Amino acid sequence: MRLTTKGRYAVTAMLDLALHEGRGPISLADISERQGISLSYLEQLFAKLRRNDLVRSVRGPGGGYQLSREQGRINVAEVIDAVNESVDATGCHGKGDCQSGQTCLTHHLWCDLSDQIHAFLSSISLCDLVKRKDVQEVALRQDRERADQLIMSTGEPASAERKAAV
């Protein structure tokens, strides 16, 4: 059983968006740089997130993405489900054809585990994650690193970005 890259990246990108929500629309390029996720991959994920009404896009200069509702009303399971992922503990992907086309002895055990994992992820909102001290510390480090990269590439302080990181 494992959560694939698609689900992990979707949750990571949504958490990044939630952490930077007060700064207006966030570009996928900024998320890409902070999280080390390919821009083209993020575009694919955000198309699905938008279709599932988890984010909305803002066009024009200074545009990007915003959460479509409050952080407390978006849970981790919704994000994973939106990108067509599931956390499935069965070997048959829930089909029940685990043993020569028949249900195996432990099929229902693994189905129950999958349900428990989904319920657990449904109980955690983006707001819950944003409030975590460990998440805030990582986000602060990432913002500082990004600001330092901007300073090194331009030779000038990255005014708003640097101030926000400090």
Side-chain angles (χ1 to χ4, degrees):
M1 169 193 60
R2 60 173 242 227
L3 180 62
T4 67
T5 301
K6 188 189 307 183
R8 289 178 191 277
Y9 281 177
V11 172
T12 298
M14 287 291 286
L15 182 54
D16 185 285
L17 199 60
L19 284 159
H20 296 93
E21 187 174 42
R23 299 181 190 172
I26 305 299
S27 75
L28 293 184
D30 286 346
I31 296 172
S32 173
E33 288 179 27
R34 279 191 296 266
Q35 303 309 325
I37 303 170
S38 138
L39 183 57
S40 61
Y41 200 71
L42 281 173
E43 289 168 348
Q44 294 171 34
L45 292 176
F46 271 73
K48 291 179 179 186
L49 294 168
R50 191 175 61 243
R51 277 194 299 273
N52 284 276
D53 197 34
L54 295 175
V55 297
R56 66 174 170 260
S57 61
V58 177
R59 296 184 184 268
Y65 284 89
Q66 297 175 315
L67 298 175
S68 65
R69 47 192 142 121
E70 296 172 12
Q71 296 175 3
R73 294 184 50 226
I74 300 174
N75 66 58
V76 174
E78 281 181 282
V79 175
I80 293 168
D81 293 343
V83 295
N84 302 322
E85 275 299 299
S86 65
V87 181
D88 181 11
T90 67
C92 63
H93 305 290
K95 296 176 190 167
D97 59 356
C98 357
Q99 188 175 34
S100 304
Q102 300 289 321
T103 303
C104 71
L105 280 175
T106 56
H107 176 79
H108 298 291
L109 170 68
W110 304 130
C111 284
D112 290 348
L113 176 60
S114 297
D115 292 343
Q116 289 292 319
I117 293 169
H118 195 273
F120 170 72
L121 295 175
S122 294
S123 74
I124 302 170
S125 71
L126 291 178
C127 185
D128 295 332
L129 294 174
V130 165
K131 289 178 182 178
R132 289 181 58 140
K133 187 176 192 283
D134 55 339
V135 169
Q136 292 174 9
E137 289 170 356
V138 171
L140 184 60
R141 182 197 47 150
Q142 290 174 337
D143 287 342
R144 283 185 181 143
E145 288 171 355
R146 173 128 163 54
D148 290 344
Q149 289 172 347
L150 289 172
I151 291 169
M152 290 178 65
S153 67
T154 64
E156 297 177 19
S159 57
E161 188 102 22
R162 184 67 178 155
K163 287 176 186 170
V166 178

